[in-house]
């Protein structure tokens, strides 16, 4: 079953620092997903902790928050048929060593933590993540 969905994508600080954000955006556009909103932000510790609160009891929480505050990142709202799964397929596995060839993480990530991009994993997650970064009036429908 196909349905139009929205998902949050983030080009993480490692990819922004490497200067590959434009290449990642090109891959998104070439895949047919539409970018409805985007902004460059430098997360504070409080913002990173709020965004990743779902992981607060995991051992990697503190290092993930520190990583996400080390430099600017580029959150975006993507839309398309089955956008959540399509974006996850384009990203590749969390561990770039296990990611399929031609995925963003295989090409641009350097470790499980410095893995270049983030994507919502379910409609419920997207419903929390999109408004964390964007007000409804900032999302431009196509």
């Amino acid at each position: 079953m196909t349905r139009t969905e929205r998902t949050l994508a983030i080009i993480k600080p490692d990819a922004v620092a490497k200067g590959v954000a434009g290449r990642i955006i090109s891959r998104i556009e070439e895949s047919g997903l539409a970018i409805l909103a985007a902004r460059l932000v430098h997360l504070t510790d409080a913002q990173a902790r709020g965004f990743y609160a779902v992981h607060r009891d995991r051992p990697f929480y503190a290092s993930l928050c520190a990583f996400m505050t080390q430099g600017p990142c580029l959150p975006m709202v993507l839309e398309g048929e089955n956008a959540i799964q399509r974006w996850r397929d384009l990203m590749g596995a969390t561990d770039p060593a296990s990611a399929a060839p031609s995925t963003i993480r295989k090409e641009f990530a350097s470790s499980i933590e410095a893995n270049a991009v983030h994507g919502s994993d379910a409609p419920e997650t997207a419903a929390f993540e999109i408004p964390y970064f964007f007000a409804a009036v900032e999302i431009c429908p196509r």
Side-chain angles (χ1 to χ4, degrees), residues 11-66:
I11 300 176
K12 292 183 176 182
D14 59 316
V16 172
K18 287 179 191 174
V20 298
R23 292 170 64 191
I24 294 171
I25 290 168
S26 291
R27 299 275 298 274
I28 291 167
E29 292 176 331
E30 289 164 4
S31 79
L33 292 169
I35 299 171
L36 305 185
R39 92 159 34 103
L40 191 65
V41 298
H42 194 147
L43 295 175
T44 66
D45 184 62
Q47 290 168 329
R49 288 182 180 280
F51 183 74
Y52 287 108
V54 67
H55 299 303
R56 70 180 160 272
D57 296 328
R58 298 249 172 101
F60 59 83
Y61 176 67
S63 65
L64 174 61
C65 292

Side-chain angles (χ1 to χ4, degrees), residues 52-115:
Y52 287 108
V54 67
H55 299 303
R56 70 180 160 272
D57 296 328
R58 298 249 172 101
F60 59 83
Y61 176 67
S63 65
L64 174 61
C65 292
F67 167 72
M68 288 301 293
T69 61
Q70 73 183 15
C73 63
L74 184 66
M76 299 173 283
V77 178
L78 308 182
E79 184 180 76
E81 296 297 317
N82 296 316
I84 293 169
Q85 189 59 54
R86 286 173 58 202
W87 173 233
R88 295 191 69 74
D89 291 346
L90 188 58
M91 288 191 305
T94 304
D95 181 354
S98 303
S102 301
T103 61
I104 290 168
R105 287 179 172 151
K106 187 66 160 184
E107 190 170 338
F108 300 115
S110 54
S111 70
I112 289 176
E113 191 167 86
N115 63 9

